[in-house]
Each structure stands twice: as structure tokens, then as C-alpha cells.
């Protein structure tokens, strides 16, 4: 399944919030530097959905397309 994710890096609390069908807001504590936020997003989504996740599009953007297996 593919979902669209809006990322809020540097947040106080981590979490996943559903905004609509196939669209989520992901808050991570990690900063945007050196891909740390991307790694945190992947780990958080894998825990939330219970499957493997990978970023398909938007590596340097706050809006990403993520594939969940």
C-alpha cells in the first residue's frame, strides 16, 4: 500500500496521525539534517503499521510517498 506522509521534524512528541484516506501526518523528534528525520519516519511507520516501509518519493521534501508492505 502507498500512503502520502507530511513530516514534521523536530517535534516535541513523536506520533502518526491520519489526516484522510491514505494521508498521514508524522511527527518525529529527529532533525532534518543528514537524513535523520527520514530514518525516524521509516522506523515510526514500521512500528505503527507492523510492516516494512520505504520512501518512494520525497527524500528531501516534507511531503513523502511511502510504500508499506
Amino acid at each position: 500500500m502507498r500512503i502520502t506522509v507530511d513530516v514534521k521534524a523536530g517535534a516535541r512528541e513523536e506520533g502518526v496521525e491520519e489526516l484522510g484516506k491514505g494521508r498521514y501526518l508524522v511527527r518525529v523528534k529527529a532533525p532534518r539534517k543528514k537524513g535523520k528525520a527520514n530514518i525516524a519516519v521509516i522506523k515510526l511507520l514500521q512500528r505503527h503499521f507492523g510492516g516494512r516501509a520505504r520512501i518512494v518519493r520525497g527524500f528531501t521534501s516534507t511531503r513523502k510517498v511511502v510504500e508499506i508492505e
Side-chain angles (χ1 to χ4, degrees):
M1 126 175 106
R2 285 193 179 194
I3 60 172
T4 302
V5 175
D6 293 325
V7 178
K8 171 70 175 153
R12 287 186 180 193
E13 294 183 20
E14 293 190 339
V16 178
E17 178 183 339
E18 187 170 6
L19 300 176
K21 186 177 179 183
R23 191 155 174 236
Y24 294 84
L25 173 63
V26 177
R27 293 181 181 93
V28 294
K29 292 181 181 179
R32 295 180 192 156
K33 296 180 181 179
K34 298 182 182 179
K36 290 182 181 182
N38 284 344
I39 293 167
V41 166
I42 293 298
K43 287 182 180 181
L44 191 59
L45 288 173
Q46 286 180 159
R47 279 196 310 254
H48 182 76
F49 288 104
R52 291 183 53 98
R54 69 180 181 100
I55 298 173
V56 178
R57 264 183 284 167
F59 292 98
T60 60
S61 173
T62 58
R63 179 163 289 168
K64 302 177 185 312
V65 175
V66 179
E67 187 172 82
I68 310 290
E69 293 179 6

